[in-house]
Amino acid sequence: MIDKRPKTPREVAAFSLFSMAEEAAWSDGALHHYLSRAGLDSRDAALASRLTYGTVQNEILLDWYLRHFSSVRLKKIAPRVLACLRMGLYQLILMDKIPAHAAVAETVALVKHYGHANDRTVAFANAVLRNAANAAQNDSLPRLNCPDKESYYALQYSHPEWLVRLLSEQYGQKLTQKICQADNADAPISVRVNTMKCTSAEAQAELEAAGLTVQPHEAFPEILLCSGGDAAALPAFIEGRVTVQDAASALAAAVADPKPGSTVLDCCAAPGGKSFAMAEKMQGKGSVTSCDIYEHKLKRIRDGAARLGLPNIRTELQDASVCREEWKDSADVVLCDVPCSGLGIIRKKPEIRFKNPDEIRTLPEIQARILANCAQYVKKGGTLVYSTCTILQRENEDVVRAFLTENPEFEAVSWTHPVCGERADGMVTLLPPVHNTDGFFIAKMHRKV
């Protein structure tokens, strides 16, 4: 990462974009790193966040515009210069409160100081941005011209066309458009209240007193949706009264419904949110074994459990696809939140949309193998929950239905929750524009006695 300390919102955004391009950093991690170094006030920090996420969220559309204004092919433009031009066009075309002269001048300065650019490149960047600014001011921007709605949505909302077409097959065109819109909308910070330490009302009052805007989730009162600051930097988080977790993830733990004193196995547990929620639901009694294949992630779980005051969580370094013979028929509840394409959390990690489709095509085989292995740990009469943070049917319903066909000792369990109502077949796909959650899938099964 760039060692220099950023001083302005645009420098924070530019440094974050550079780290993503050069070091494969996640947008949220890079942004958090540079915001912590910059020490901006809340208004400037919000602008830095909007510039970073907005540029990534609209990359395909911004590149389409850039091709119209640039005399140089995009592949020939240096990565840092390209990142700056995208951010400049985002301000000129898609933001309505940024003066054009400021967007052009500040972006050209970034190219000059951080883009390894010579005078010719700086002049090129200035010309591109001024042409775009004039077109935006004169309402003469090129119009999106696409052969069908799927290709239009793909361009308008900067989603890969293969993904838009796949979603359209599953959900229809209208809902697919709403999903793409939600993916590009600002997502609040979602925190779950640790009811072992305080009530939802007490947590909300504390967060609001610290300057956050807080809205309880309409169907999940333990979930508070926050904006206007970093909830994870506040005493409420540090002292374990709240923890960062989306309603969808918390719902998976609620559906698992472990009782105090029960034995729970969370097979792919990192970063630990569902383990924490289940341990709290058990009132600290019984045991939750949280597994992952990386020791540094297990340390995060242990640290989180200590922060939240959960003595009943222990960690195990364990590959969920490899059987532990001593665990067979031992758990009252087994939760398998399996590795997935992550396409349900694009609104929080916008770069996920650019995953290589060939690399995620084999995921259902891995998911099925993990589910079949971990199902062995469920005792007779016990509960098995399968979850992902994707909204693709081939990673969700298809995997569960194949498992139930091949394992007749398990059956789907009907359940109900205010977030999604009654689920007679035991399964739900949560969607951001429908449920006000991350995109997520949950299936509940029961091992017959």
Side-chain angles (χ1 to χ4, degrees), residues 310-329:
L310 300 171
N312 56 332
I313 290 181
R314 68 184 182 93
T315 60
E316 285 280 349
L317 192 67
Q318 178 63 29
D319 185 336
S321 66
V322 177
C323 181
R324 285 277 290 265
E325 290 292 331
E326 67 271 28
W327 288 358
K328 283 186 175 181
D329 305 313

PDB file of all heavy atoms in Angstrom, residues 310-329:
ATOM      1  N   LEU A 310     -18.523 -14.351  25.691  1.00  0.00           N
ATOM      2  CA  LEU A 310     -19.120 -15.644  25.355  1.00  0.00           C
ATOM      3  C   LEU A 310     -18.152 -16.770  25.712  1.00  0.00           C
ATOM      4  O   LEU A 310     -17.280 -17.125  24.924  1.00  0.00           O
ATOM      5  CB  LEU A 310     -19.461 -15.684  23.856  1.00  0.00           C
ATOM      6  CG  LEU A 310     -20.442 -14.606  23.389  1.00  0.00           C
ATOM      7  CD1 LEU A 310     -20.547 -14.596  21.875  1.00  0.00           C
ATOM      8  CD2 LEU A 310     -21.815 -14.820  24.028  1.00  0.00           C
ATOM      9  N   PRO A 311     -18.293 -17.346  26.889  1.00  0.00           N
ATOM     10  CA  PRO A 311     -17.351 -18.371  27.337  1.00  0.00           C
ATOM     11  C   PRO A 311     -17.575 -19.729  26.681  1.00  0.00           C
ATOM     12  O   PRO A 311     -16.733 -20.619  26.835  1.00  0.00           O
ATOM     13  CB  PRO A 311     -17.628 -18.451  28.846  1.00  0.00           C
ATOM     14  CG  PRO A 311     -19.083 -18.093  28.963  1.00  0.00           C
ATOM     15  CD  PRO A 311     -19.328 -17.055  27.915  1.00  0.00           C
ATOM     16  N   ASN A 312     -18.686 -19.899  25.963  1.00  0.00           N
ATOM     17  CA  ASN A 312     -19.019 -21.231  25.443  1.00  0.00           C
ATOM     18  C   ASN A 312     -18.575 -21.432  24.002  1.00  0.00           C
ATOM     19  O   ASN A 312     -19.013 -22.371  23.337  1.00  0.00           O
ATOM     20  CB  ASN A 312     -20.524 -21.496  25.565  1.00  0.00           C
ATOM     21  CG  ASN A 312     -21.385 -20.446  24.886  1.00  0.00           C
ATOM     22  OD1 ASN A 312     -20.983 -19.298  24.766  1.00  0.00           O
ATOM     23  ND2 ASN A 312     -22.574 -20.852  24.458  1.00  0.00           N
ATOM     24  N   ILE A 313     -17.691 -20.555  23.486  1.00  0.00           N
ATOM     25  CA  ILE A 313     -17.166 -20.738  22.132  1.00  0.00           C
ATOM     26  C   ILE A 313     -15.731 -21.245  22.207  1.00  0.00           C
ATOM     27  O   ILE A 313     -14.900 -20.708  22.934  1.00  0.00           O
ATOM     28  CB  ILE A 313     -17.204 -19.420  21.347  1.00  0.00           C
ATOM     29  CG1 ILE A 313     -18.660 -19.035  21.021  1.00  0.00           C
ATOM     30  CG2 ILE A 313     -16.409 -19.532  20.048  1.00  0.00           C
ATOM     31  CD1 ILE A 313     -18.787 -17.755  20.230  1.00  0.00           C
ATOM     32  N   ARG A 314     -15.449 -22.314  21.465  1.00  0.00           N
ATOM     33  CA  ARG A 314     -14.075 -22.766  21.291  1.00  0.00           C
ATOM     34  C   ARG A 314     -13.810 -22.904  19.798  1.00  0.00           C
ATOM     35  O   ARG A 314     -14.727 -23.080  18.999  1.00  0.00           O
ATOM     36  CB  ARG A 314     -13.810 -24.085  22.017  1.00  0.00           C
ATOM     37  CG  ARG A 314     -14.520 -25.294  21.447  1.00  0.00           C
ATOM     38  CD  ARG A 314     -14.263 -26.531  22.295  1.00  0.00           C
ATOM     39  NE  ARG A 314     -14.892 -27.742  21.749  1.00  0.00           N
ATOM     40  CZ  ARG A 314     -14.282 -28.582  20.935  1.00  0.00           C
ATOM     41  NH1 ARG A 314     -13.027 -28.357  20.569  1.00  0.00           N
ATOM     42  NH2 ARG A 314     -14.913 -29.654  20.489  1.00  0.00           N
ATOM     43  N   THR A 315     -12.555 -22.811  19.393  1.00  0.00           N
ATOM     44  CA  THR A 315     -12.215 -22.860  17.972  1.00  0.00           C
ATOM     45  C   THR A 315     -11.428 -24.124  17.652  1.00  0.00           C
ATOM     46  O   THR A 315     -10.720 -24.669  18.501  1.00  0.00           O
ATOM     47  CB  THR A 315     -11.390 -21.625  17.563  1.00  0.00           C
ATOM     48  OG1 THR A 315     -10.178 -21.600  18.333  1.00  0.00           O
ATOM     49  CG2 THR A 315     -12.180 -20.347  17.791  1.00  0.00           C
ATOM     50  N   GLU A 316     -11.583 -24.566  16.403  1.00  0.00           N
ATOM     51  CA  GLU A 316     -10.859 -25.742  15.918  1.00  0.00           C
ATOM     52  C   GLU A 316     -10.363 -25.457  14.503  1.00  0.00           C
ATOM     53  O   GLU A 316     -11.134 -24.993  13.653  1.00  0.00           O
ATOM     54  CB  GLU A 316     -11.768 -26.980  15.889  1.00  0.00           C
ATOM     55  CG  GLU A 316     -12.054 -27.583  17.244  1.00  0.00           C
ATOM     56  CD  GLU A 316     -10.924 -28.467  17.756  1.00  0.00           C
ATOM     57  OE1 GLU A 316     -10.000 -28.770  16.957  1.00  0.00           O
ATOM     58  OE2 GLU A 316     -10.963 -28.857  18.929  1.00  0.00           O
ATOM     59  N   LEU A 317      -9.085 -25.749  14.253  1.00  0.00           N
ATOM     60  CA  LEU A 317      -8.532 -25.664  12.906  1.00  0.00           C
ATOM     61  C   LEU A 317      -8.981 -26.912  12.151  1.00  0.00           C
ATOM     62  O   LEU A 317      -8.496 -28.011  12.443  1.00  0.00           O
ATOM     63  CB  LEU A 317      -7.005 -25.584  12.978  1.00  0.00           C
ATOM     64  CG  LEU A 317      -6.264 -25.208  11.698  1.00  0.00           C
ATOM     65  CD1 LEU A 317      -6.574 -23.772  11.302  1.00  0.00           C
ATOM     66  CD2 LEU A 317      -4.758 -25.402  11.865  1.00  0.00           C
ATOM     67  N   GLN A 318      -9.903 -26.748  11.225  1.00  0.00           N
ATOM     68  CA  GLN A 318     -10.510 -27.917  10.595  1.00  0.00           C
ATOM     69  C   GLN A 318     -11.026 -27.582   9.208  1.00  0.00           C
ATOM     70  O   GLN A 318     -11.712 -26.588   9.004  1.00  0.00           O
ATOM     71  CB  GLN A 318     -11.669 -28.458  11.454  1.00  0.00           C
ATOM     72  CG  GLN A 318     -12.410 -29.642  10.877  1.00  0.00           C
ATOM     73  CD  GLN A 318     -11.536 -30.874  10.724  1.00  0.00           C
ATOM     74  OE1 GLN A 318     -10.580 -31.048  11.491  1.00  0.00           O
ATOM     75  NE2 GLN A 318     -11.844 -31.733   9.760  1.00  0.00           N
ATOM     76  N   ASP A 319     -10.710 -28.423   8.240  1.00  0.00           N
ATOM     77  CA  ASP A 319     -11.242 -28.346   6.885  1.00  0.00           C
ATOM     78  C   ASP A 319     -12.635 -28.971   6.885  1.00  0.00           C
ATOM     79  O   ASP A 319     -12.800 -30.149   7.237  1.00  0.00           O
ATOM     80  CB  ASP A 319     -10.309 -29.096   5.928  1.00  0.00           C
ATOM     81  CG  ASP A 319     -10.723 -28.980   4.472  1.00  0.00           C
ATOM     82  OD1 ASP A 319     -11.916 -28.740   4.193  1.00  0.00           O
ATOM     83  OD2 ASP A 319      -9.862 -29.161   3.594  1.00  0.00           O
ATOM     84  N   ALA A 320     -13.640 -28.208   6.481  1.00  0.00           N
ATOM     85  CA  ALA A 320     -15.022 -28.690   6.556  1.00  0.00           C
ATOM     86  C   ALA A 320     -15.307 -29.828   5.588  1.00  0.00           C
ATOM     87  O   ALA A 320     -16.323 -30.523   5.736  1.00  0.00           O
ATOM     88  CB  ALA A 320     -15.983 -27.545   6.287  1.00  0.00           C
ATOM     89  N   SER A 321     -14.440 -30.044   4.615  1.00  0.00           N
ATOM     90  CA  SER A 321     -14.658 -31.133   3.665  1.00  0.00           C
ATOM     91  C   SER A 321     -13.999 -32.432   4.109  1.00  0.00           C
ATOM     92  O   SER A 321     -14.150 -33.461   3.447  1.00  0.00           O
ATOM     93  CB  SER A 321     -14.141 -30.737   2.278  1.00  0.00           C
ATOM     94  OG  SER A 321     -12.728 -30.576   2.291  1.00  0.00           O
ATOM     95  N   VAL A 322     -13.261 -32.399   5.221  1.00  0.00           N
ATOM     96  CA  VAL A 322     -12.554 -33.584   5.732  1.00  0.00           C
ATOM     97  C   VAL A 322     -13.230 -34.054   7.016  1.00  0.00           C
ATOM     98  O   VAL A 322     -13.456 -33.268   7.938  1.00  0.00           O
ATOM     99  CB  VAL A 322     -11.069 -33.267   5.987  1.00  0.00           C
ATOM    100  CG1 VAL A 322     -10.356 -34.475   6.581  1.00  0.00           C
ATOM    101  CG2 VAL A 322     -10.398 -32.806   4.699  1.00  0.00           C
ATOM    102  N   CYS A 323     -13.514 -35.326   7.093  1.00  0.00           N
ATOM    103  CA  CYS A 323     -14.282 -35.865   8.220  1.00  0.00           C
ATOM    104  C   CYS A 323     -13.444 -35.972   9.493  1.00  0.00           C
ATOM    105  O   CYS A 323     -12.289 -36.415   9.461  1.00  0.00           O
ATOM    106  CB  CYS A 323     -14.839 -37.243   7.858  1.00  0.00           C
ATOM    107  SG  CYS A 323     -15.842 -37.977   9.172  1.00  0.00           S
ATOM    108  N   ARG A 324     -14.030 -35.549  10.610  1.00  0.00           N
ATOM    109  CA  ARG A 324     -13.470 -35.809  11.943  1.00  0.00           C
ATOM    110  C   ARG A 324     -14.311 -36.922  12.567  1.00  0.00           C
ATOM    111  O   ARG A 324     -15.454 -36.707  12.971  1.00  0.00           O
ATOM    112  CB  ARG A 324     -13.542 -34.543  12.811  1.00  0.00           C
ATOM    113  CG  ARG A 324     -12.525 -33.485  12.471  1.00  0.00           C
ATOM    114  CD  ARG A 324     -11.168 -33.741  13.112  1.00  0.00           C
ATOM    115  NE  ARG A 324     -11.190 -33.542  14.541  1.00  0.00           N
ATOM    116  CZ  ARG A 324     -10.830 -32.396  15.139  1.00  0.00           C
ATOM    117  NH1 ARG A 324     -10.470 -31.343  14.416  1.00  0.00           N
ATOM    118  NH2 ARG A 324     -10.841 -32.294  16.463  1.00  0.00           N
ATOM    119  N   GLU A 325     -13.746 -38.121  12.622  1.00  0.00           N
ATOM    120  CA  GLU A 325     -14.499 -39.299  13.038  1.00  0.00           C
ATOM    121  C   GLU A 325     -15.124 -39.116  14.421  1.00  0.00           C
ATOM    122  O   GLU A 325     -16.265 -39.533  14.672  1.00  0.00           O
ATOM    123  CB  GLU A 325     -13.587 -40.535  13.040  1.00  0.00           C
ATOM    124  CG  GLU A 325     -13.168 -41.009  11.652  1.00  0.00           C
ATOM    125  CD  GLU A 325     -14.323 -41.581  10.858  1.00  0.00           C
ATOM    126  OE1 GLU A 325     -15.264 -42.119  11.491  1.00  0.00           O
ATOM    127  OE2 GLU A 325     -14.297 -41.512   9.615  1.00  0.00           O
ATOM    128  N   GLU A 326     -14.392 -38.462  15.335  1.00  0.00           N
ATOM    129  CA  GLU A 326     -14.890 -38.324  16.701  1.00  0.00           C
ATOM    130  C   GLU A 326     -16.074 -37.357  16.804  1.00  0.00           C
ATOM    131  O   GLU A 326     -16.742 -37.282  17.843  1.00  0.00           O
ATOM    132  CB  GLU A 326     -13.767 -37.880  17.649  1.00  0.00           C
ATOM    133  CG  GLU A 326     -13.235 -36.485  17.418  1.00  0.00           C
ATOM    134  CD  GLU A 326     -12.086 -36.436  16.424  1.00  0.00           C
ATOM    135  OE1 GLU A 326     -12.019 -37.326  15.532  1.00  0.00           O
ATOM    136  OE2 GLU A 326     -11.254 -35.507  16.520  1.00  0.00           O
ATOM    137  N   TRP A 327     -16.343 -36.601  15.727  1.00  0.00           N
ATOM    138  CA  TRP A 327     -17.466 -35.669  15.744  1.00  0.00           C
ATOM    139  C   TRP A 327     -18.763 -36.291  15.206  1.00  0.00           C
ATOM    140  O   TRP A 327     -19.823 -35.673  15.294  1.00  0.00           O
ATOM    141  CB  TRP A 327     -17.133 -34.426  14.911  1.00  0.00           C
ATOM    142  CG  TRP A 327     -16.132 -33.522  15.553  1.00  0.00           C
ATOM    143  CD1 TRP A 327     -15.545 -33.669  16.779  1.00  0.00           C
ATOM    144  CD2 TRP A 327     -15.585 -32.325  14.987  1.00  0.00           C
ATOM    145  NE1 TRP A 327     -14.672 -32.637  17.020  1.00  0.00           N
ATOM    146  CE2 TRP A 327     -14.671 -31.797  15.944  1.00  0.00           C
ATOM    147  CE3 TRP A 327     -15.759 -31.641  13.803  1.00  0.00           C
ATOM    148  CZ2 TRP A 327     -13.945 -30.627  15.717  1.00  0.00           C
ATOM    149  CZ3 TRP A 327     -15.059 -30.478  13.567  1.00  0.00           C
ATOM    150  CH2 TRP A 327     -14.154 -29.969  14.520  1.00  0.00           C
ATOM    151  N   LYS A 328     -18.678 -37.459  14.643  1.00  0.00           N
ATOM    152  CA  LYS A 328     -19.872 -38.060  14.033  1.00  0.00           C
ATOM    153  C   LYS A 328     -20.989 -38.233  15.071  1.00  0.00           C
ATOM    154  O   LYS A 328     -20.738 -38.632  16.213  1.00  0.00           O
ATOM    155  CB  LYS A 328     -19.530 -39.416  13.417  1.00  0.00           C
ATOM    156  CG  LYS A 328     -18.804 -39.316  12.080  1.00  0.00           C
ATOM    157  CD  LYS A 328     -18.624 -40.705  11.466  1.00  0.00           C
ATOM    158  CE  LYS A 328     -18.008 -40.646  10.082  1.00  0.00           C
ATOM    159  NZ  LYS A 328     -17.853 -41.984   9.482  1.00  0.00           N
ATOM    160  N   ASP A 329     -22.218 -37.914  14.649  1.00  0.00           N
ATOM    161  CA  ASP A 329     -23.427 -38.113  15.476  1.00  0.00           C
ATOM    162  C   ASP A 329     -23.322 -37.417  16.839  1.00  0.00           C
ATOM    163  O   ASP A 329     -23.871 -37.908  17.833  1.00  0.00           O
ATOM    164  CB  ASP A 329     -23.674 -39.612  15.702  1.00  0.00           C
ATOM    165  CG  ASP A 329     -23.750 -40.388  14.395  1.00  0.00           C
ATOM    166  OD1 ASP A 329     -24.452 -39.939  13.478  1.00  0.00           O
ATOM    167  OD2 ASP A 329     -23.088 -41.447  14.299  1.00  0.00           O
TER     168      ASP A 329
END
